Amino acid sequence: MRFEHLGFAPAAVDYLAAWAHQREVHAQVVAGELPDTVLLLEHEAVYTAGKRTEPHERPLDGTPVVDVDRGGKITWHGPGQLVGYPIVHLPSPVDVVAHVRRLEDVMIGVCRELGVATTRVEGRSGVWLPADATGPERKIGAIGLRVSKDVTMHGFALNCDCDLGWADAIVPCGIADAGVTSLSRELGRDVGVAEVLPVVTAHLERVLDPVTASR
C-alpha cells in the first residue's frame, strides 16, 4: 500500500485540485503504473454533493457546492477533518458494500484506539455514536465512493477538531434526524489531524493490506 500526503492545514488542499489528482492516480493504478494508493489530506472548506443529493438538502444561503461523481449526498470538508481517498483494486467479484464496511472498520478502529466507542447504524453508511444523555445519534465519520474499472475513488472523512457549525447550513448526508460530532467534542480535548494521522495510517494498513495481498 502506497500512501501520499497531499497537504494539511495551514496548507489545506483545494477540493478541485485534489479531485483532479485523484483521477490521475486512479488512471495510473488502473494501468498498473502505481500500486494501490491512499491519498491523505485536509481540504480547504467546501461543500460537496454526491449524486443522490436533493435540492432541499443544499445550503439555503447560496453557499457554493461542488457536485461530484461519488455516491452519497451532501457533506462538508475542511480544516480539522482528516480525509482519506483509497484508490485501490477491489477483489473479484466486486463488492462495493464490503469496501464501505472496510472503511467503517478503519474509522471504528481509530476511534476506539483514541478512546471513543463508535458503531455502525443499519441503513446508514459511516461511523456513529448512539444517542445518549449528551445528544442524539451523531455521525463522526462519513463515506462516499465511486468505483471505475474495479478501482475505487473518493473515500472517507473523519472529524477531528473541525468547526461543526458547517452542518447548520445543510442536511448533512441527507439525514435530518441525527447530528454530527468530532473526536475533540467527544473526548473533551483538542484532537488534531496530526495526532490522528498515524493512527489512521496504521488501521488502513491493517484493513486494506490483506485485500491488496489477496489479489
Side-chain angles (χ1 to χ4, degrees):
M1 185 71 61
R2 170 179 174 266
F3 290 90
E4 183 177 345
H5 293 178
L6 288 192
F8 302 95
V13 183
D14 172 76
Y15 186 86
L16 292 177
W19 190 10
H21 186 66
Q22 272 196 82
R23 292 194 293 267
E24 292 171 1
V25 173
H26 181 274
Q28 291 175 292
V29 171
V30 168
E33 297 167 0
L34 282 177
D36 287 357
T37 296
V38 180
L39 308 179
L40 293 167
L41 64 149
E42 281 175 271
H43 278 301
E44 296 174 357
V46 64
Y47 289 107
T48 71
K51 293 179 288 186
R52 295 190 301 109
T53 303
E54 300 289 341
H56 73 276
E57 295 163 352
R58 294 170 178 264
L60 300 178
D61 60 2
T63 300
V65 176
V66 177
D67 289 285
V68 294
D69 58 355
R70 61 166 171 79
K73 295 201 172 191
I74 192 166
T75 192
W76 173 91
H77 298 305
Q81 182 189 73
L82 178 55
V83 174
Y85 296 132
I87 302 173
V88 300
H89 289 86
L90 293 183
S92 183
V94 168
D95 186 340
V96 178
V97 173
H99 186 61
V100 171
R101 297 294 171 260
R102 285 190 286 269
L103 297 186
E104 290 170 346
D105 185 9
V106 168
M107 290 192 285
I108 288 170
V110 170
C111 291
R112 181 174 60 244
E113 186 168 333
L114 292 169
V116 177
T118 57
T119 188
R120 295 178 174 92
V121 172
E122 186 174 354
R124 293 177 171 178
S125 69
V127 175
W128 297 79
L129 282 87
D132 56 22
T134 66
E137 191 172 78
R138 51 211 185 272
K139 181 181 267 191
I140 196 168
I143 294 172
L145 302 175
R146 180 171 188 264
V147 179
S148 175
K149 300 180 180 177
D150 297 347
V151 175
T152 62
M153 285 184 67
H154 302 289
F156 67 90
L158 180 61
N159 297 333
C160 300
D161 60 348
C162 52
D163 179 357
L164 297 174
W166 62 264
D168 296 339
I170 62 171
V171 180
C173 303
I175 298 170
D177 61 347
V180 295
T181 191
S182 66
L183 289 165
S184 295
R185 173 171 287 185
E186 297 301 325
L187 290 171
R189 66 175 181 86
D190 184 53
V191 183
V193 167
E195 178 181 347
V196 179
L197 181 60
V199 186
V200 164
T201 301
H203 283 276
L204 283 165
E205 290 175 331
R206 172 183 64 83
V207 172
L208 296 184
D209 272 351
V211 177
T212 298
S214 68
R215 287 193 298 106

